[in-house]
Amino acid sequence: MADVSGTKPESNTGETADTAAEVKQPEGYVYASYGPEKFLRDAIISALTLRRYDRKRPISLVCCKKHRQLLKSLPFDPPFDLVLDLDDDHQSIIGYKHNLHHYMPFVRNLYLDSDMIWCRDPDRLWLSLRPYPYTITGQESADVFFGSHKNIRILSDILLRRRQRTLKRFGLNSLARVQTGVMYAADAGITRKVNRLAADILKRKSETHFVSRRKEKGRNLESCEWSLGMAVTMLNLHVYPWFNAQESIQLDFIHPLTKANANYSEVSCKYYCNPFIHSLRGIENNLARNFLFTLFRLLPRGNDHMWVTPYILHFGWGHQKPWFDQFVNREWDKLTSSGDKSS
C-alpha cells in the first residue's frame, strides 16, 4: 500500500502542484472515508469486491487522519494503492463531492460510494466513460421528489409549481437528476467549474424549492445531489444513464427484487422496463409496493421486466442497509480472524 501524505494544492490548471513531476496512472478508482470507523470498513470491503474483477487499475482512498492511522493498525494489507489526506473542511458529503477537483490522483478518476458491491468486470464501463470530461450517473429529467419532500407535502410543491419557479429563476428549461454514488472526472478544469458552480447554487438554496436532506428520517448529512444536478444542467454536461438495462453502472439493492448468493459474486436485479414502474422499487412497505406492482401490471408494459447484473450493486436505500452491513461484518470477521499481514 502506497502511503502519500497530505492533500496537494491546486495549480492554476486545477491539477496538483507537482503533477508535472509525476506520471499519473491513466485510470483509477477513488473511495473516501471519514467519520465513524464503520465507514472505513465499508470502503475496504467494497474495494475488495472490486478487486475480484479488476486487479490492474489502482484504487485510491481519500480519508481523514484518524482513518489513516487505523489503516496502519490493521492485521491485513488494505486494498488501496494510494492514500491521500482528506482536508478537514471537506469531511462531509457536500465538502467532499463539491471539491473533487482537489482529489484527482489519476488521469481518469472514478469516484465511488462505500456502500457498494462490485458484480462485473469494469473494462467495458471504462471504455464507455472515456469520451466524457466529467459525468455523474443520473437521469436527464428529475422527478418532483428530487431534492424536495418525500411525503404528502410534495403536493404543495406541485400545486404551487415550485419546481417550475426554481427552473425559471435560474434560467433552466430542465433539471437533471443525478445519483452521485458514481462520479467520473477526467478534466480538472471542468470538474472545478462544476464544483464551484454547485457551491454557489447551494448558497442560494433559499431561492429554490429544495429542502434539507436532514429532515428525512435517518439522515444527518446534507445532500450534494440537487446542487450538482443544477450545476451539470446549467453547464449542459452529459448525465450518464443511471438505468441503462444490461449496461447499468449501478442498480439499487432491494431485497425482494434482488437475487444474490452469500458473497454477492452472482447477482441479478429485477429491472422494470417502464421507468415509472421501476421507480416504485424503493417503497419500504412490502405490502404497499407489491400492491402497486400488481395494480400497474394491468397496464400495457406494466410487467415488462428483465433480470440484470449491474456493474455495481448499491445499498443506497436506508431500509436496505442491514443486508450490506451483514455482508461487511462477515467479510471483516474473515479478514481480522486470519491475522495474517502479508510482507
Side-chain angles (χ1 to χ4, degrees):
M1 179 185 71
D3 193 9
V4 179
S5 61
T7 301
K8 299 169 184 175
E10 284 186 286
S11 69
N12 291 333
T13 64
E15 298 177 337
T16 54
D18 54 353
T19 296
E22 298 177 348
V23 177
K24 286 188 175 184
Q25 292 289 327
E27 297 173 341
Y29 307 90
V30 185
Y31 283 92
S33 175
Y34 52 88
E37 181 180 346
K38 175 191 181 308
F39 297 141
L40 175 61
R41 293 187 180 190
D42 291 352
I44 290 172
I45 299 302
S46 180
L48 286 172
T49 68
L50 170 56
R51 277 288 174 248
R52 296 173 181 172
Y53 305 98
D54 191 344
R55 294 185 172 275
K56 59 187 178 182
R57 295 180 182 88
I59 305 176
S60 174
L61 178 71
V62 181
C63 66
C64 62
K65 292 181 175 61
K66 176 184 176 183
H67 287 190
R68 177 187 282 274
Q69 292 303 314
L70 287 170
L71 283 175
K72 295 177 181 178
S73 66
L74 295 175
F76 58 89
D77 283 336
F80 305 116
D81 303 284
L82 189 67
V83 179
L84 301 174
D85 286 334
L86 180 62
D87 189 276
D88 290 347
D89 292 337
H90 299 163
Q91 293 177 25
S92 66
I93 293 174
I94 290 174
Y96 174 61
K97 293 188 177 180
H98 279 187
N99 285 283
L100 293 186
H101 56 287
H102 291 284
Y103 308 101
M104 298 182 68
F106 313 112
V107 177
R108 294 180 288 277
N109 303 269
L110 191 60
Y111 300 91
L112 304 165
D113 279 0
S114 297
D115 54 349
M116 293 178 156
I117 294 175
W118 280 80
C119 309
R120 286 174 59 185
D121 184 328
D123 280 356
R124 287 202 317 199
L125 171 59
W126 280 102
L127 288 174
S128 69
L129 290 170
R130 187 168 291 185
Y132 306 110
Y134 177 98
T135 191
I136 312 175
T137 51
Q139 297 165 275
E140 62 185 16
S141 180
D143 59 39
V144 294
F145 293 99
F146 179 55
S148 189
H149 302 288
K150 305 296 191 293
N151 51 40
I152 194 66
R153 295 179 64 186
I154 194 64
L155 291 177
S156 65
D157 283 3
I158 296 172
L159 293 173
L160 297 175
R161 299 177 59 83
R162 287 181 175 142
R163 182 185 186 275
Q164 292 92 324
R165 287 158 60 188
T166 296
L167 298 187
K168 183 177 180 181
R169 189 171 290 126
F170 284 82
L172 297 175
N173 297 313
S174 65
L175 173 63
R177 194 270 192 254
V178 300
Q179 210 298 328
T180 60
V182 178
M183 305 174 69
Y184 172 83
D187 186 303
I190 291 178
T191 304
R192 182 177 62 247
K193 191 173 183 178
V194 172
N195 292 335
R196 290 180 175 172
L197 179 56
D200 289 341
I201 292 170
L202 184 62
K203 294 175 183 177
R204 299 175 61 185
K205 182 179 177 181
S206 62
E207 301 176 44
T208 74
H209 69 290
F210 299 111
V211 297
S212 174
R213 192 78 178 273
R214 289 175 290 187
K215 292 183 179 180
E216 296 179 29
K217 182 181 177 181
R219 301 283 186 179
N220 55 17
L221 293 175
E222 192 59 86
S223 171
C224 65
E225 291 189 337
W226 68 263
S227 52
L228 284 169
M230 289 191 68
V232 297
T233 304
M234 294 172 75
L235 294 172
N236 201 30
L237 294 173
H238 178 73
V239 175
Y240 195 93
W242 179 6
F243 306 120
N244 200 23
Q246 290 88 347
E247 284 301 300
S248 298
I249 296 184
Q250 56 167 324
L251 289 178
D252 293 312
F253 174 88
I254 303 293
H255 183 253
L257 305 178
T258 305
K259 299 176 183 178
N261 59 357
N263 68 355
Y264 293 92
S265 60
E266 298 178 8
V267 172
S268 293
C269 299
K270 193 172 187 178
Y271 180 104
Y272 283 94
C273 303
N274 185 311
F276 171 72
I277 305 298
H278 193 70
S279 70
L280 303 175
R281 72 199 182 285
I283 296 174
E284 183 172 358
N285 186 285
N286 288 336
L287 288 175
R289 183 181 60 249
N290 292 336
F291 170 77
L292 290 173
F293 279 150
T294 302
L295 177 64
F296 289 114
R297 192 173 293 155
L298 301 173
L299 298 175
R301 301 196 308 132
N303 193 41
D304 285 13
H305 66 273
M306 60 184 78
W307 287 93
V308 170
T309 299
Y311 288 96
I312 300 167
L313 190 61
H314 191 184
F315 293 73
W317 290 91
H319 58 284
Q320 301 297 317
K321 295 285 189 187
W323 281 272
F324 181 72
D325 292 339
Q326 291 167 14
F327 172 73
V328 170
N329 290 337
R330 287 199 307 269
E331 296 301 304
W332 191 260
D333 287 343
K334 292 177 187 177
L335 288 170
T336 54
S337 62
S338 66
D340 295 328
K341 187 164 184 175
S342 59
S343 57

